[in-house]
Amino acid sequence: MTATSTEAAGVVGVVQRLRDGMASGVLSFPLTSFRDDGRLDLDAYRAYLTDRLDSAPGAVFPACGTGEFFSLDEDEYRAVVRATVEIADGRLPVVAGIGYGWAQALRFARIAEEAGADAALVLPHYLVSAPQDGLVQQLRHIADGTRLPLIAYQRGQVAFTADSLRRIADIPTVIGLKDGHSDLDRLQRLTLAAPDDFLFFNGASTAEIQARAYATVGVPAYSSAVHAFAPEIANAFFAALRDGDDAGVTTLLREFYVPLVELRDRVPGYAVSLVKAAARLRGLPVGPVRAPLTDPGPVDLADLEKVLDHGLSLVGAVRRPA
């Protein structure tokens, strides 16, 4: 697919909206609501997302890792992205997750495009390791089949070299990179190899832990799983980091984020299921996780409650306002 001048202008517009959003707030990755029997609960998702967007994120990324993209079928995915676009109503960019091999990723991209998403985040492909030429070709195949601007996500088996970064940046609709490796040497090389208008953001698990380090290599924007259940904390951290309040950043890291990460690291999959449990502790209608993830047991849930309550107290908030 060759980009027309109109399509090129649309890509530029999306880049600018994302750049503005990344400077104004955290990037929100909402949870997907399920019923106790595992079915998608779209009404609950709408209510939950409306509440999230009232907390002023810079952009919203539905059906990504935190939103359990890997467990959604195509009809569910369509419903989630469409609901997100309707609720966002043009107030902020909507970037939908897509993934698996390029053929399946393209199916999801076309669904997201039809639903009105502004861009797509290309999640790491399934299972296999691949050479750099293959990583580049994967993005080219997807870009050839959709008008959506694409953000590549390097994590797990996906890691771009500086040369590959230049090659994907030459694809007209590839606009940025989310990094989950936290290799700052490699990331600095990538930022220096990229064109000036290319977007980068920190996509490490519990990204706030490394936000100061990422900022030193020119990547201050980050995704926030904490925004999914405690936007008061996420926004307070963002403001402290933006304003150079090192004492405030350190306090939140030491007393909330580090204890949260230590709890997260107890069980595989807690990067999602612990976030969902915290949202339930706040009375948010998100329901359980889907297998193969599992919800936290009583001991971990009690520890999570303590961490959450203390974190909220640090920013003058409570778990369930009267």
Side-chain angles (χ1 to χ4, degrees):
M1 178 183 295
T2 302
T4 66
S5 58
T6 300
E7 289 165 352
V11 170
V12 170
V14 170
V15 169
Q16 188 58 55
R17 290 183 68 209
L18 280 167
R19 190 178 300 283
D20 292 344
M22 290 159 70
S24 68
V26 300
L27 305 178
S28 176
F29 284 66
L31 300 157
T32 300
S33 299
F34 300 121
R35 302 181 190 277
D36 289 342
D37 63 5
R39 290 182 299 152
L40 176 67
D41 190 339
L42 194 59
D43 289 340
Y45 176 74
R46 287 176 175 276
Y48 164 74
L49 183 65
T50 298
D51 185 70
R52 294 306 86 189
L53 297 194
D54 286 344
S55 300
V60 60
F61 289 67
C64 291
T66 306
E68 297 178 76
F69 166 79
F70 52 85
S71 76
L72 299 175
D73 67 28
E74 291 182 10
D75 290 338
E76 292 170 331
Y77 175 85
R78 179 181 291 104
V80 167
V81 176
R82 184 177 291 155
T84 306
V85 170
E86 290 173 358
I87 292 167
D89 195 25
R91 291 176 292 162
L92 74 173
V94 175
V95 183
I98 63 174
Y100 306 114
W102 69 261
Q104 189 67 17
L106 186 52
R107 288 177 66 91
F108 282 102
R110 288 169 174 164
I111 292 170
E113 186 176 339
E114 285 179 9
D118 297 292
L121 176 67
V122 184
L123 301 169
H125 61 265
Y126 172 69
L127 191 62
V128 297
S129 297
Q132 291 295 308
D133 285 348
L135 297 180
V136 174
Q137 193 62 34
Q138 163 104 333
L139 285 170
R140 283 185 177 148
H141 279 311
I142 299 170
D144 283 345
T146 178
R147 292 180 176 83
L148 284 181
L150 304 174
I151 298 170
Y153 186 4
Q154 65 169 20
R155 188 176 187 146
Q157 68 270 34
V158 177
F160 293 98
T161 63
D163 178 65
S164 294
L165 191 283
R166 294 186 190 97
R167 292 163 66 192
I168 67 170
D170 281 341
I171 301 169
T173 54
V174 175
I175 63 172
L177 179 74
K178 177 182 179 182
D179 175 71
H181 283 296
S182 305
D183 180 340
L184 297 185
D185 180 288
R186 174 188 288 268
L187 186 58
Q188 183 70 91
R189 294 167 190 262
L190 296 181
T191 61
L192 294 173
D196 291 342
D197 60 348
F198 203 73
L199 302 174
F200 287 90
F201 64 93
N202 166 7
S205 295
T206 317
E208 287 92 340
I209 287 285
Q210 301 184 66
R212 284 195 288 202
Y214 269 81
T216 64
V217 294
V219 184
Y222 59 90
S223 58
S224 176
V226 170
H227 188 272
F229 65 88
E232 306 97 325
I233 300 173
N235 290 343
F237 184 91
F238 179 87
L241 187 68
R242 177 197 60 202
D243 298 342
D245 178 6
D246 288 337
V249 168
T250 298
T251 296
L252 285 168
L253 288 174
R254 181 182 292 124
E255 298 193 31
F256 172 72
Y257 284 98
V258 168
L260 179 68
V261 166
E262 290 174 347
L263 182 54
R264 181 202 72 198
D265 289 346
R266 289 182 186 176
V267 176
Y270 265 16
V272 176
S273 55
L274 204 71
V275 170
K276 213 163 199 183
R280 291 195 302 273
L281 284 173
R282 302 205 71 188
L284 298 169
V286 297
V289 292
R290 277 181 169 173
L293 300 180
T294 58
D295 291 309
V299 172
D300 290 348
L301 200 58
D303 289 344
L304 174 62
E305 190 172 352
K306 293 174 185 176
V307 171
L308 176 58
D309 284 347
H310 183 64
L312 290 168
S313 73
L314 293 173
V315 297
V318 293
R319 180 151 42 96
R320 296 193 183 187

